[in-house]
Amino acid sequence: MESNTASSDEQRYQVRKLEITDKNKGFMELLQQLTVCDFVTDEEFQTRFEELKSYGDDHVICVIEDVHLSRIVATGSVFIEKKFIRNCGKVGHIEDVVVDSSARGMRLGKKVADFLADHARLSGCYKVILDCSDDNKAFYEKCGFKQKEIQMVKYFI
């Protein structure tokens, strides 16, 4: 019985890259659950979508769609930084991971983190890093991350 439930969930929750039509599926509203996210027009969304798409595999936004509701219920992104250190190595940076409040507790955040980390690994990164709040530390540890050093920030707006 449990495998049928897991199979049913896999069919219901589609893990994939962001598509242009996802703005109409609640993508921007989902980001508002994470941080300040002002209104974005369809034109602004399309312009930014095309810009990010032009980076190819160096910037990927993962979404999980609840296909029963045609809603985006989880998202996160990863961008690949090319470096001179480590034999011109690459580092993946995970950002903006959020799961809709109505879909938490179903391991969708782990699916997003795994998708993004796998993308970084398959892109040849020697590591993938992210910043998170103390409240989310245990979650990311369950995803295989460990605490290293501290984060600093300087805001310009």
Side-chain angles (χ1 to χ4, degrees), residues 12-14 16 25 63-67 70-72:
R12 180 173 181 172
Y13 298 105
Q14 181 186 11
R16 59 174 172 77
K25 295 179 179 180
V63 297
I64 298 181
E65 179 181 356
D66 179 333
V67 295
S70 293
R71 299 293 294 170
I72 303 302

Side-chain angles (χ1 to χ4, degrees), residues 25-38 71-75 96-104 136:
K25 295 179 179 180
F27 177 73
M28 297 303 299
E29 292 81 0
L30 176 60
L31 290 176
Q32 289 173 349
Q33 294 183 38
L34 178 67
T35 190
V36 175
C37 186
D38 296 327
R71 299 293 294 170
I72 303 302
V73 294
T75 188
D96 302 336
V97 175
V98 60
V99 175
D100 187 271
S101 59
S102 68
R104 293 184 186 151
N136 291 330

Side-chain angles (χ1 to χ4, degrees), residues 5-51:
T5 302
S7 176
S8 175
D9 282 351
E10 286 179 24
Q11 292 172 359
R12 180 173 181 172
Y13 298 105
Q14 181 186 11
V15 182
R16 59 174 172 77
K17 293 180 182 178
L18 181 73
E19 297 172 357
I20 192 71
T21 55
D22 290 336
K23 182 177 187 286
N24 298 325
K25 295 179 179 180
F27 177 73
M28 297 303 299
E29 292 81 0
L30 176 60
L31 290 176
Q32 289 173 349
Q33 294 183 38
L34 178 67
T35 190
V36 175
C37 186
D38 296 327
F39 178 77
V40 173
T41 67
D42 289 348
E43 183 180 325
E44 290 170 326
F45 187 86
Q46 182 167 351
T47 299
R48 180 54 45 97
F49 178 86
E50 294 299 330
E51 177 187 359

